[in-house]
Amino acid sequence: MSPFPNLIPTPPPMKARSLVYDLKARLDWGEPALTIIDVRDRNLFNTSHIMGSISMPMNELIDRALPSLVLSRDLYVYGEIDEETAEAATKLRTAGFENVSELRGGLAAWKAVGFPVEAIPYTVIGN
């Protein structure tokens, strides 16, 4: 055992329900080995989403998550409202994902504290 047990910092542990500060602390840690999933409608995702999140709308969630994500990966999921987030987390856990955290408050909470967001630019064709 090391004589300096607190010398090497560790990232905060993952919880079943997380605040935006918990996720931001993981991201600030660097190379956090996690995936942020936005289960809202793709148009809402394109308008604004948590920087680095991926779009997996609720109706495609399990069909897209199973072939592309490792079951032991840390997943942070958010929807339009906390009830949608909880539903998505339940689906992921039922499908076998071991480390799923519901991001309380979702995008609104993330924006409210000034954390980074991004959008998908679109081009108007015509005229």
Side-chain angles (χ1 to χ4, degrees):
M1 181 151 172
S2 170
F4 307 104
N6 295 325
L7 188 60
I8 300 173
T10 58
M14 187 170 186
K15 304 172 191 168
R17 296 175 75 195
S18 297
L19 299 175
V20 294
Y21 302 103
D22 300 324
L23 174 56
K24 184 71 165 77
R26 286 282 308 271
L27 293 172
D28 289 347
W29 184 254
E31 297 188 39
L34 61 86
T35 299
I36 308 166
I37 300 174
D38 183 325
V39 298
R40 300 174 306 143
D41 174 86
R42 198 170 319 278
N43 289 329
L44 291 173
F45 176 85
N46 290 345
T47 301
S48 182
H49 56 270
I50 293 174
M51 185 173 284
S53 64
I54 60 173
S55 176
M56 288 191 181
M58 187 73 83
N59 63 336
E60 306 170 8
L61 180 60
I62 301 307
D63 290 339
R64 292 196 50 217
L66 281 173
S68 59
L69 299 171
V70 176
L71 293 176
S72 61
R73 183 138 179 107
D74 287 357
L75 304 177
Y76 287 82
V77 62
Y78 70 95
E80 185 67 19
I81 58 174
D82 285 344
E83 291 78 7
E84 182 181 38
T85 300
E87 179 185 346
T90 297
K91 284 184 173 190
L92 288 165
R93 290 179 187 122
T94 301
F97 289 95
E98 301 163 11
N99 303 312
V100 180
S101 185
E102 302 166 29
L103 189 60
R104 299 189 62 192
L107 180 64
W110 187 262
K111 284 181 168 181
V113 293
F115 292 157
V117 296
E118 58 189 352
I120 306 294
Y122 68 94
T123 308
V124 177
I125 299 173
N127 296 25

